[in-house]
Amino acid sequence: GLLRLWVAVSYANGGLPRYPRKGWCFGETSRWYYPPKEEFEPIYDFVRTHRGLFDDYEAVTQVGVLFADPAGNPYSPLKSVCESLVKLNMPLGIVVAGNAWVPNRVSPEDAKRFELLLLPDPVRLDAAQQQVVEGWKSRNAAVPVSPQDDIGQILTKRVDPLVALESESSVWIFPRAVPDKKGAPVVCHLLNWNYDAGANRAAPQKNVQLRLRRAITGGARVTKMTYHTIGQPPQQLEFAVRGNALHVTVPEVALWGVLELQLE
């Protein structure tokens, strides 16, 4: 059950996990795990038959996170901040800085990709890159954060989420789009992370209510919403436009589905 979820999460974020034919494990009777075909072939068939919703798509980003020192030990604060953003369904991107072995990478323009850039403490940068970061902070484009901070509270004052849940649902939302291709649908991958260890399954989420800011389409008008999921025919969904947002209810998210926003 967990492996199915990991495969789905990976594809939803642009990964290409291989088909799991055999894997090392810590089983009581065997050190090898042979995934049952009936559990995994439907996932890979879903990807193959919906390749138009995967090929050339990249993550839609709203909040950035600075990866400040790959040679040091930034993983704990970086992981904490990124986990918070995923749980908040806040689309995120990474800015990678340089170090003694990797050329300087940050530039003043990096912050323009995001509505806000988060700087996980501790930040270890050389003088030139630190100057760029100080410029971001002086323009109020970036703020330092620590694992103890409430990321949600910080963002509430600064960012109107592009995607959000309006129901009490355990679902991750990952929006993706094809850069610079006018008319290409925007997609939102919906992942059910309500994993039940006892049943070894994600418990299905019913009537998942979404709010999607109209800005997610870059100003293009949404003409139709279609929900695609594993082993089921496409389902056209009714949606409403209220203010600056689109509102739609997905009847069920079992493991993973893709909400396709067709544009005019």
Side-chain angles (χ1 to χ4, degrees), residues 9-83:
V9 170
S10 181
Y11 270 111
N13 285 278
L16 297 169
R18 67 176 180 84
Y19 187 91
R21 300 183 184 279
K22 176 182 177 182
W24 177 259
C25 68
F26 296 92
E28 296 179 358
T29 59
S30 173
R31 296 302 183 192
W32 293 101
Y33 171 61
Y34 298 91
K37 290 183 178 182
E38 64 272 12
E39 295 288 352
F40 290 90
E41 285 188 350
I43 298 178
Y44 286 84
D45 181 66
F46 177 70
V47 175
R48 285 193 300 269
T49 57
H50 294 82
R51 62 184 305 156
L53 303 178
F54 292 86
D55 290 347
D56 302 322
Y57 276 81
E58 297 181 5
V60 172
T61 60
Q62 186 173 17
V63 172
V65 183
L66 179 66
F67 185 21
D69 186 6
N73 185 28
Y75 299 104
S76 179
L78 180 75
K79 179 181 177 183
S80 174
V81 172
C82 291
E83 281 183 343

Side-chain angles (χ1 to χ4, degrees), residues 130-193:
Q130 186 63 45
Q131 186 176 3
V132 172
V133 171
E134 293 302 322
W136 295 340
K137 292 162 67 176
S138 68
R139 300 195 306 273
N140 207 27
V143 295
V145 293
S146 69
Q148 293 74 37
D149 289 335
D150 186 331
I151 302 299
Q153 285 292 330
I154 293 172
L155 297 180
T156 296
K157 304 172 184 177
R158 299 285 303 271
V159 178
D160 182 9
L162 283 173
V163 297
L165 288 170
E166 293 191 309
S167 55
E168 295 295 325
S169 306
S170 301
V171 171
W172 287 329
I173 311 169
F174 299 108
R176 297 178 69 79
V178 181
D180 304 320
K181 185 177 180 181
K182 186 177 181 181
V186 172
V187 300
C188 291
H189 291 259
L190 307 182
L191 272 298
N192 179 2
W193 59 268

Side-chain angles (χ1 to χ4, degrees), residues 99-110:
N99 56 26
W101 295 274
V102 180
N104 293 349
R105 295 182 179 180
V106 300
S107 70
E109 289 70 34
D110 284 331

